[in-house]
mmCIF file of all heavy atoms in Angstrom:
data_model
loop_
_atom_site.group_PDB
_atom_site.id
_atom_site.type_symbol
_atom_site.label_atom_id
_atom_site.label_comp_id
_atom_site.label_asym_id
_atom_site.label_seq_id
_atom_site.Cartn_x
_atom_site.Cartn_y
_atom_site.Cartn_z
ATOM 1 N N VAL A 7 0.835 -1.190 0.000
ATOM 2 C CA VAL A 7 0.000 0.000 0.000
ATOM 3 C C VAL A 7 0.875 1.246 0.000
ATOM 4 O O VAL A 7 0.626 2.201 -0.735
ATOM 5 C CB VAL A 7 -0.960 -0.006 1.217
ATOM 6 C CG1 VAL A 7 -1.634 1.347 1.398
ATOM 7 C CG2 VAL A 7 -2.009 -1.104 1.058
ATOM 8 N N GLU A 8 1.934 1.255 0.839
ATOM 9 C CA GLU A 8 2.856 2.386 0.876
ATOM 10 C C GLU A 8 3.532 2.579 -0.472
ATOM 11 O O GLU A 8 3.699 3.711 -0.946
ATOM 12 C CB GLU A 8 3.883 2.203 1.984
ATOM 13 C CG GLU A 8 3.305 2.374 3.379
ATOM 14 C CD GLU A 8 4.315 2.108 4.485
ATOM 15 O OE1 GLU A 8 5.532 2.014 4.192
ATOM 16 O OE2 GLU A 8 3.890 1.993 5.641
ATOM 17 N N GLN A 9 3.930 1.488 -1.112
ATOM 18 C CA GLN A 9 4.545 1.554 -2.440
ATOM 19 C C GLN A 9 3.559 2.124 -3.452
ATOM 20 O O GLN A 9 3.905 2.974 -4.268
ATOM 21 C CB GLN A 9 5.025 0.165 -2.886
ATOM 22 C CG GLN A 9 5.592 0.105 -4.279
ATOM 23 C CD GLN A 9 6.891 0.882 -4.425
ATOM 24 O OE1 GLN A 9 7.608 1.120 -3.461
ATOM 25 N NE2 GLN A 9 7.181 1.297 -5.639
ATOM 26 N N ALA A 10 2.301 1.674 -3.376
ATOM 27 C CA ALA A 10 1.271 2.175 -4.293
ATOM 28 C C ALA A 10 1.056 3.672 -4.078
ATOM 29 O O ALA A 10 0.919 4.433 -5.043
ATOM 30 C CB ALA A 10 -0.026 1.407 -4.088
ATOM 31 N N ILE A 11 1.049 4.110 -2.815
ATOM 32 C CA ILE A 11 0.882 5.528 -2.511
ATOM 33 C C ILE A 11 2.041 6.331 -3.088
ATOM 34 O O ILE A 11 1.833 7.395 -3.682
ATOM 35 C CB ILE A 11 0.743 5.745 -0.990
ATOM 36 C CG1 ILE A 11 -0.606 5.196 -0.518
ATOM 37 C CG2 ILE A 11 0.875 7.224 -0.630
ATOM 38 C CD1 ILE A 11 -0.771 5.148 0.992
ATOM 39 N N ARG A 12 3.277 5.827 -2.961
ATOM 40 C CA ARG A 12 4.443 6.531 -3.529
ATOM 41 C C ARG A 12 4.323 6.629 -5.049
ATOM 42 O O ARG A 12 4.584 7.683 -5.644
ATOM 43 C CB ARG A 12 5.745 5.819 -3.139
ATOM 44 C CG ARG A 12 6.209 6.106 -1.731
ATOM 45 C CD ARG A 12 7.648 5.636 -1.496
ATOM 46 N NE ARG A 12 7.824 4.186 -1.646
ATOM 47 C CZ ARG A 12 7.618 3.290 -0.677
ATOM 48 N NH1 ARG A 12 7.213 3.693 0.517
ATOM 49 N NH2 ARG A 12 7.801 2.015 -0.893
ATOM 50 N N VAL A 13 3.918 5.545 -5.668
ATOM 51 C CA VAL A 13 3.769 5.542 -7.134
ATOM 52 C C VAL A 13 2.699 6.547 -7.544
ATOM 53 O O VAL A 13 2.883 7.311 -8.503
ATOM 54 C CB VAL A 13 3.438 4.119 -7.648
ATOM 55 C CG1 VAL A 13 2.992 4.152 -9.107
ATOM 56 C CG2 VAL A 13 4.636 3.196 -7.475
ATOM 57 N N ILE A 14 1.591 6.565 -6.819
ATOM 58 C CA ILE A 14 0.510 7.508 -7.132
ATOM 59 C C ILE A 14 1.009 8.945 -6.990
ATOM 60 O O ILE A 14 0.733 9.796 -7.843
ATOM 61 C CB ILE A 14 -0.723 7.242 -6.241
ATOM 62 C CG1 ILE A 14 -1.387 5.936 -6.667
ATOM 63 C CG2 ILE A 14 -1.721 8.399 -6.317
ATOM 64 C CD1 ILE A 14 -2.447 5.438 -5.700
ATOM 65 N N GLU A 15 1.733 9.240 -5.919
ATOM 66 C CA GLU A 15 2.267 10.590 -5.722
ATOM 67 C C GLU A 15 3.240 10.968 -6.838
ATOM 68 O O GLU A 15 3.211 12.095 -7.341
ATOM 69 C CB GLU A 15 2.944 10.708 -4.354
ATOM 70 C CG GLU A 15 1.988 10.685 -3.186
ATOM 71 C CD GLU A 15 0.950 11.793 -3.236
ATOM 72 O OE1 GLU A 15 1.313 12.938 -3.582
ATOM 73 O OE2 GLU A 15 -0.222 11.506 -2.939
ATOM 74 N N GLU A 16 4.101 10.030 -7.227
ATOM 75 C CA GLU A 16 5.047 10.296 -8.324
ATOM 76 C C GLU A 16 4.291 10.565 -9.622
ATOM 77 O O GLU A 16 4.649 11.469 -10.382
ATOM 78 C CB GLU A 16 5.997 9.114 -8.499
ATOM 79 C CG GLU A 16 7.008 8.978 -7.389
ATOM 80 C CD GLU A 16 7.823 7.694 -7.489
ATOM 81 O OE1 GLU A 16 7.630 6.904 -8.449
ATOM 82 O OE2 GLU A 16 8.659 7.477 -6.594
ATOM 83 N N LEU A 17 3.235 9.790 -9.856
ATOM 84 C CA LEU A 17 2.442 9.981 -11.066
ATOM 85 C C LEU A 17 1.727 11.325 -11.054
ATOM 86 O O LEU A 17 1.616 11.994 -12.083
ATOM 87 C CB LEU A 17 1.448 8.839 -11.247
ATOM 88 C CG LEU A 17 2.053 7.490 -11.628
ATOM 89 C CD1 LEU A 17 0.978 6.407 -11.585
ATOM 90 C CD2 LEU A 17 2.732 7.537 -12.974
ATOM 91 N N LYS A 18 1.238 11.736 -9.883
ATOM 92 C CA LYS A 18 0.599 13.051 -9.772
ATOM 93 C C LYS A 18 1.594 14.159 -10.081
ATOM 94 O O LYS A 18 1.272 15.112 -10.790
ATOM 95 C CB LYS A 18 0.030 13.247 -8.363
ATOM 96 C CG LYS A 18 -1.250 12.512 -8.100
ATOM 97 C CD LYS A 18 -1.737 12.805 -6.673
ATOM 98 C CE LYS A 18 -3.015 12.081 -6.341
ATOM 99 N NZ LYS A 18 -3.457 12.368 -4.961
ATOM 100 N N GLN A 19 2.806 14.024 -9.537
ATOM 101 C CA GLN A 19 3.836 15.035 -9.800
ATOM 102 C C GLN A 19 4.198 15.059 -11.282
ATOM 103 O O GLN A 19 4.346 16.134 -11.878
ATOM 104 C CB GLN A 19 5.083 14.761 -8.957
ATOM 105 C CG GLN A 19 4.878 15.018 -7.483
ATOM 106 C CD GLN A 19 6.079 14.591 -6.643
ATOM 107 O OE1 GLN A 19 7.057 14.053 -7.158
ATOM 108 N NE2 GLN A 19 5.983 14.816 -5.343
ATOM 109 N N GLU A 20 4.328 13.890 -11.862
ATOM 110 C CA GLU A 20 4.646 13.811 -13.291
ATOM 111 C C GLU A 20 3.522 14.422 -14.128
ATOM 112 O O GLU A 20 3.769 15.145 -15.091
ATOM 113 C CB GLU A 20 4.874 12.360 -13.695
ATOM 114 C CG GLU A 20 5.333 12.191 -15.122
ATOM 115 C CD GLU A 20 5.630 10.741 -15.474
ATOM 116 O OE1 GLU A 20 5.757 9.894 -14.578
ATOM 117 O OE2 GLU A 20 5.726 10.469 -16.683
ATOM 118 N N ARG A 21 2.273 14.160 -13.737
ATOM 119 C CA ARG A 21 1.130 14.726 -14.445
ATOM 120 C C ARG A 21 1.149 16.255 -14.370
ATOM 121 O O ARG A 21 0.930 16.933 -15.371
ATOM 122 C CB ARG A 21 -0.173 14.191 -13.873
ATOM 123 C CG ARG A 21 -1.399 14.728 -14.609
ATOM 124 C CD ARG A 21 -2.685 14.272 -14.006
ATOM 125 N NE ARG A 21 -2.829 14.909 -12.690
ATOM 126 C CZ ARG A 21 -3.766 14.615 -11.821
ATOM 127 N NH1 ARG A 21 -4.637 13.668 -12.087
ATOM 128 N NH2 ARG A 21 -3.840 15.239 -10.669
ATOM 129 N N GLU A 22 1.444 16.794 -13.208
ATOM 130 C CA GLU A 22 1.517 18.250 -13.056
ATOM 131 C C GLU A 22 2.640 18.835 -13.912
ATOM 132 O O GLU A 22 2.477 19.877 -14.537
ATOM 133 C CB GLU A 22 1.693 18.632 -11.580
ATOM 134 C CG GLU A 22 0.452 18.419 -10.749
ATOM 135 C CD GLU A 22 -0.769 19.140 -11.285
ATOM 136 O OE1 GLU A 22 -0.669 20.338 -11.631
ATOM 137 O OE2 GLU A 22 -1.842 18.500 -11.362
ATOM 138 N N ALA A 23 3.787 18.156 -13.922
ATOM 139 C CA ALA A 23 4.910 18.623 -14.750
ATOM 140 C C ALA A 23 4.526 18.600 -16.224
ATOM 141 O O ALA A 23 4.839 19.535 -16.979
ATOM 142 C CB ALA A 23 6.146 17.760 -14.501
ATOM 143 N N LEU A 24 3.826 17.540 -16.634
ATOM 144 C CA LEU A 24 3.399 17.435 -18.030
ATOM 145 C C LEU A 24 2.342 18.486 -18.370
ATOM 146 O O LEU A 24 2.344 19.042 -19.477
ATOM 147 C CB LEU A 24 2.866 16.028 -18.323
ATOM 148 C CG LEU A 24 3.930 14.931 -18.363
ATOM 149 C CD1 LEU A 24 3.262 13.560 -18.448
ATOM 150 C CD2 LEU A 24 4.909 15.135 -19.498
ATOM 151 N N LYS A 25 1.460 18.781 -17.423
ATOM 152 C CA LYS A 25 0.471 19.842 -17.646
ATOM 153 C C LYS A 25 1.173 21.179 -17.858
ATOM 154 O O LYS A 25 0.807 21.951 -18.750
ATOM 155 C CB LYS A 25 -0.478 19.958 -16.450
ATOM 156 C CG LYS A 25 -1.613 18.991 -16.442
ATOM 157 C CD LYS A 25 -2.506 19.303 -15.217
ATOM 158 C CE LYS A 25 -3.691 18.406 -15.133
ATOM 159 N NZ LYS A 25 -4.531 18.738 -13.951
ATOM 160 N N THR A 26 2.160 21.445 -17.014
ATOM 161 C CA THR A 26 2.919 22.690 -17.136
ATOM 162 C C THR A 26 3.638 22.747 -18.474
ATOM 163 O O THR A 26 3.617 23.773 -19.166
ATOM 164 C CB THR A 26 3.931 22.804 -15.978
ATOM 165 O OG1 THR A 26 3.217 22.778 -14.746
ATOM 166 C CG2 THR A 26 4.749 24.065 -16.075
ATOM 167 N N GLU A 27 4.254 21.646 -18.856
ATOM 168 C CA GLU A 27 4.965 21.579 -20.138
ATOM 169 C C GLU A 27 3.997 21.770 -21.304
ATOM 170 O O GLU A 27 4.294 22.498 -22.259
ATOM 171 C CB GLU A 27 5.676 20.229 -20.256
ATOM 172 C CG GLU A 27 6.570 20.097 -21.450
ATOM 173 C CD GLU A 27 7.302 18.762 -21.481
ATOM 174 O OE1 GLU A 27 7.465 18.124 -20.432
ATOM 175 O OE2 GLU A 27 7.710 18.366 -22.589
ATOM 176 N N LEU A 28 2.827 21.146 -21.207
ATOM 177 C CA LEU A 28 1.816 21.293 -22.261
ATOM 178 C C LEU A 28 1.355 22.740 -22.353
ATOM 179 O O LEU A 28 1.237 23.294 -23.455
ATOM 180 C CB LEU A 28 0.633 20.372 -21.986
ATOM 181 C CG LEU A 28 -0.552 20.479 -22.948
ATOM 182 C CD1 LEU A 28 -0.128 20.124 -24.380
ATOM 183 C CD2 LEU A 28 -1.698 19.598 -22.490
ATOM 184 N N HIS A 29 1.098 23.361 -21.215
ATOM 185 C CA HIS A 29 0.665 24.755 -21.198
ATOM 186 C C HIS A 29 1.724 25.643 -21.855
ATOM 187 O O HIS A 29 1.402 26.506 -22.672
ATOM 188 C CB HIS A 29 0.391 25.209 -19.767
ATOM 189 C CG HIS A 29 -0.007 26.636 -19.663
ATOM 190 N ND1 HIS A 29 -1.231 27.107 -20.085
ATOM 191 C CD2 HIS A 29 0.668 27.724 -19.208
ATOM 192 C CE1 HIS A 29 -1.295 28.404 -19.884
ATOM 193 N NE2 HIS A 29 -0.160 28.806 -19.359
ATOM 194 N N SER A 30 2.984 25.417 -21.507
ATOM 195 C CA SER A 30 4.071 26.201 -22.098
ATOM 196 C C SER A 30 4.155 25.977 -23.605
ATOM 197 O O SER A 30 4.348 26.926 -24.371
ATOM 198 C CB SER A 30 5.405 25.837 -21.443
ATOM 199 O OG SER A 30 5.404 26.177 -20.083
ATOM 200 N N ALA A 31 4.010 24.732 -24.019
ATOM 201 C CA ALA A 31 4.079 24.411 -25.451
ATOM 202 C C ALA A 31 2.918 25.061 -26.210
ATOM 203 O O ALA A 31 3.110 25.599 -27.307
ATOM 204 C CB ALA A 31 4.075 22.898 -25.658
ATOM 205 N N LEU A 32 1.723 25.035 -25.616
ATOM 206 C CA LEU A 32 0.567 25.654 -26.272
ATOM 207 C C LEU A 32 0.737 27.167 -26.350
ATOM 208 O O LEU A 32 0.385 27.786 -27.361
ATOM 209 C CB LEU A 32 -0.717 25.305 -25.523
ATOM 210 C CG LEU A 32 -1.179 23.848 -25.630
ATOM 211 C CD1 LEU A 32 -2.364 23.595 -24.709
ATOM 212 C CD2 LEU A 32 -1.513 23.482 -27.064
ATOM 213 N N GLU A 33 1.289 27.745 -25.309
ATOM 214 C CA GLU A 33 1.542 29.190 -25.321
ATOM 215 C C GLU A 33 2.585 29.540 -26.379
ATOM 216 O O GLU A 33 2.417 30.503 -27.135
ATOM 217 C CB GLU A 33 2.030 29.635 -23.942
ATOM 218 C CG GLU A 33 2.147 31.130 -23.788
ATOM 219 C CD GLU A 33 2.521 31.525 -22.372
ATOM 220 O OE1 GLU A 33 2.032 30.893 -21.428
ATOM 221 O OE2 GLU A 33 3.320 32.455 -22.231
ATOM 222 N N ALA A 34 3.639 28.729 -26.466
ATOM 223 C CA ALA A 34 4.683 28.961 -27.469
ATOM 224 C C ALA A 34 4.099 28.817 -28.875
ATOM 225 O O ALA A 34 4.416 29.600 -29.773
ATOM 226 C CB ALA A 34 5.842 27.981 -27.269
ATOM 227 N N ARG A 35 3.227 27.823 -29.052
ATOM 228 C CA ARG A 35 2.596 27.632 -30.358
ATOM 229 C C ARG A 35 1.754 28.853 -30.731
ATOM 230 O O ARG A 35 1.793 29.328 -31.861
ATOM 231 C CB ARG A 35 1.728 26.379 -30.359
ATOM 232 C CG ARG A 35 1.140 26.083 -31.739
ATOM 233 C CD ARG A 35 0.230 24.915 -31.716
ATOM 234 N NE ARG A 35 -1.129 25.426 -31.572
ATOM 235 C CZ ARG A 35 -2.190 24.661 -31.458
ATOM 236 N NH1 ARG A 35 -2.065 23.363 -31.412
ATOM 237 N NH2 ARG A 35 -3.378 25.190 -31.351
ATOM 238 N N GLY A 36 1.014 29.364 -29.762
ATOM 239 C CA GLY A 36 0.207 30.558 -30.017
ATOM 240 C C GLY A 36 1.073 31.735 -30.407
ATOM 241 O O GLY A 36 0.745 32.481 -31.340
ATOM 242 N N ASN A 37 2.187 31.894 -29.704
ATOM 243 C CA ASN A 37 3.102 32.989 -30.035
ATOM 244 C C ASN A 37 3.692 32.809 -31.428
ATOM 245 O O ASN A 37 3.821 33.777 -32.187
ATOM 246 C CB ASN A 37 4.223 33.085 -28.990
ATOM 247 C CG ASN A 37 3.716 33.549 -27.641
ATOM 248 O OD1 ASN A 37 2.667 34.163 -27.535
ATOM 249 N ND2 ASN A 37 4.452 33.240 -26.597
ATOM 250 N N LEU A 38 4.048 31.570 -31.759
ATOM 251 C CA LEU A 38 4.602 31.301 -33.090
ATOM 252 C C LEU A 38 3.558 31.551 -34.177
ATOM 253 O O LEU A 38 3.886 32.088 -35.245
ATOM 254 C CB LEU A 38 5.115 29.866 -33.173
ATOM 255 C CG LEU A 38 6.414 29.590 -32.423
ATOM 256 C CD1 LEU A 38 6.724 28.091 -32.433
ATOM 257 C CD2 LEU A 38 7.572 30.372 -33.009
ATOM 258 N N GLU A 39 2.310 31.173 -33.905
ATOM 259 C CA GLU A 39 1.256 31.409 -34.894
ATOM 260 C C GLU A 39 1.071 32.906 -35.125
ATOM 261 O O GLU A 39 0.888 33.344 -36.269
ATOM 262 C CB GLU A 39 -0.057 30.769 -34.438
ATOM 263 C CG GLU A 39 -0.055 29.259 -34.555
ATOM 264 C CD GLU A 39 -1.291 28.609 -33.962
ATOM 265 O OE1 GLU A 39 -2.045 29.279 -33.211
ATOM 266 O OE2 GLU A 39 -1.499 27.418 -34.233
ATOM 267 N N LYS A 40 1.130 33.698 -34.052
ATOM 268 C CA LYS A 40 1.025 35.153 -34.201
ATOM 269 C C LYS A 40 2.197 35.696 -35.004
ATOM 270 O O LYS A 40 2.033 36.553 -35.871
ATOM 271 C CB LYS A 40 0.993 35.822 -32.825
ATOM 272 C CG LYS A 40 -0.289 35.619 -32.070
ATOM 273 C CD LYS A 40 -0.211 36.238 -30.680
ATOM 274 C CE LYS A 40 -1.433 35.879 -29.852
ATOM 275 N NZ LYS A 40 -1.326 36.374 -28.470
ATOM 276 N N GLU A 41 3.387 35.184 -34.708
ATOM 277 C CA GLU A 41 4.585 35.646 -35.409
ATOM 278 C C GLU A 41 4.517 35.280 -36.889
ATOM 279 O O GLU A 41 4.863 36.094 -37.761
ATOM 280 C CB GLU A 41 5.836 35.025 -34.774
ATOM 281 C CG GLU A 41 7.114 35.644 -35.225
ATOM 282 C CD GLU A 41 8.319 35.111 -34.470
ATOM 283 O OE1 GLU A 41 8.198 34.780 -33.283
ATOM 284 O OE2 GLU A 41 9.389 35.023 -35.097
ATOM 285 N N VAL A 42 4.049 34.076 -37.186
ATOM 286 C CA VAL A 42 3.902 33.650 -38.581
ATOM 287 C C VAL A 42 2.900 34.547 -39.296
ATOM 288 O O VAL A 42 3.129 34.973 -40.433
ATOM 289 C CB VAL A 42 3.475 32.159 -38.665
ATOM 290 C CG1 VAL A 42 2.983 31.796 -40.058
ATOM 291 C CG2 VAL A 42 4.635 31.250 -38.270
ATOM 292 N N ALA A 43 1.801 34.861 -38.628
ATOM 293 C CA ALA A 43 0.791 35.736 -39.237
ATOM 294 C C ALA A 43 1.378 37.114 -39.519
ATOM 295 O O ALA A 43 1.124 37.693 -40.590
ATOM 296 C CB ALA A 43 -0.428 35.850 -38.325
ATOM 297 N N GLN A 44 2.186 37.631 -38.601
ATOM 298 C CA GLN A 44 2.825 38.931 -38.813
ATOM 299 C C GLN A 44 3.781 38.871 -40.001
ATOM 300 O O GLN A 44 3.800 39.771 -40.843
ATOM 301 C CB GLN A 44 3.580 39.375 -37.560
ATOM 302 C CG GLN A 44 2.679 39.776 -36.415
ATOM 303 C CD GLN A 44 3.460 40.019 -35.132
ATOM 304 O OE1 GLN A 44 4.620 39.651 -35.012
ATOM 305 N NE2 GLN A 44 2.808 40.633 -34.161
ATOM 306 N N HIS A 45 4.560 37.801 -40.063
ATOM 307 C CA HIS A 45 5.508 37.664 -41.178
ATOM 308 C C HIS A 45 4.780 37.492 -42.505
ATOM 309 O O HIS A 45 5.235 38.005 -43.533
ATOM 310 C CB HIS A 45 6.474 36.503 -40.930
ATOM 311 C CG HIS A 45 7.508 36.788 -39.887
ATOM 312 N ND1 HIS A 45 8.426 37.803 -40.006
ATOM 313 C CD2 HIS A 45 7.768 36.190 -38.706
ATOM 314 C CE1 HIS A 45 9.212 37.819 -38.940
ATOM 315 N NE2 HIS A 45 8.822 36.859 -38.131
ATOM 316 N N GLN A 46 3.668 36.791 -42.476
ATOM 317 C CA GLN A 46 2.883 36.642 -43.708
ATOM 318 C C GLN A 46 2.348 37.990 -44.166
ATOM 319 O O GLN A 46 2.346 38.276 -45.361
ATOM 320 C CB GLN A 46 1.738 35.653 -43.491
ATOM 321 C CG GLN A 46 2.186 34.219 -43.445
ATOM 322 C CD GLN A 46 1.050 33.254 -43.131
ATOM 323 O OE1 GLN A 46 0.045 33.622 -42.532
ATOM 324 N NE2 GLN A 46 1.220 32.009 -43.537
ATOM 325 N N GLU A 47 1.910 38.810 -43.219
ATOM 326 C CA GLU A 47 1.419 40.147 -43.559
ATOM 327 C C GLU A 47 2.556 40.990 -44.126
ATOM 328 O O GLU A 47 2.380 41.684 -45.133
ATOM 329 C CB GLU A 47 0.812 40.831 -42.333
ATOM 330 C CG GLU A 47 0.291 42.221 -42.604
ATOM 331 C CD GLU A 47 -0.808 42.292 -43.642
ATOM 332 O OE1 GLU A 47 -1.571 41.317 -43.806
ATOM 333 O OE2 GLU A 47 -0.909 43.332 -44.318
ATOM 334 N N GLU A 48 3.729 40.922 -43.494
ATOM 335 C CA GLU A 48 4.893 41.665 -44.000
ATOM 336 C C GLU A 48 5.248 41.180 -45.404
ATOM 337 O O GLU A 48 5.548 41.989 -46.295
ATOM 338 C CB GLU A 48 6.090 41.481 -43.074
ATOM 339 C CG GLU A 48 5.954 42.186 -41.739
ATOM 340 C CD GLU A 48 7.082 41.847 -40.783
ATOM 341 O OE1 GLU A 48 8.143 41.364 -41.229
ATOM 342 O OE2 GLU A 48 6.896 42.064 -39.572
ATOM 343 N N PHE A 49 5.232 39.873 -45.603
ATOM 344 C CA PHE A 49 5.542 39.292 -46.911
ATOM 345 C C PHE A 49 4.544 39.788 -47.947
ATOM 346 O O PHE A 49 4.929 40.160 -49.065
ATOM 347 C CB PHE A 49 5.512 37.760 -46.815
ATOM 348 C CG PHE A 49 5.749 37.066 -48.121
ATOM 349 C CD1 PHE A 49 7.012 37.037 -48.689
ATOM 350 C CD2 PHE A 49 4.704 36.446 -48.784
ATOM 351 C CE1 PHE A 49 7.228 36.400 -49.893
ATOM 352 C CE2 PHE A 49 4.912 35.808 -49.991
ATOM 353 C CZ PHE A 49 6.181 35.783 -50.545
#
């Protein structure tokens, strides 16, 4: 049970890290899409 609890806690931490990474990636994608749109307008 203690081992299962440790695994669950590790998985929760990993999930939070992945959520943060996903949020950052989505934000970066949005910024890149804006930048591409600006460059297309300049072009």
Side-chain angles (χ1 to χ4, degrees):
V7 168
E8 288 177 12
Q9 176 67 23
I11 290 171
R12 281 193 298 274
V13 168
I14 289 169
E15 290 301 318
E16 288 173 2
L17 289 172
K18 283 181 181 179
Q19 290 174 357
E20 185 177 345
R21 182 183 68 188
E22 288 304 313
L24 289 171
K25 277 183 179 180
T26 301
E27 187 177 337
L28 176 61
H29 178 71
S30 296
L32 290 173
E33 188 175 322
R35 185 184 96 183
N37 291 338
L38 287 173
E39 287 174 346
K40 288 176 187 175
E41 192 174 327
V42 166
Q44 289 172 346
H45 287 299
Q46 285 176 336
E47 180 60 29
E48 289 173 19
F49 177 73

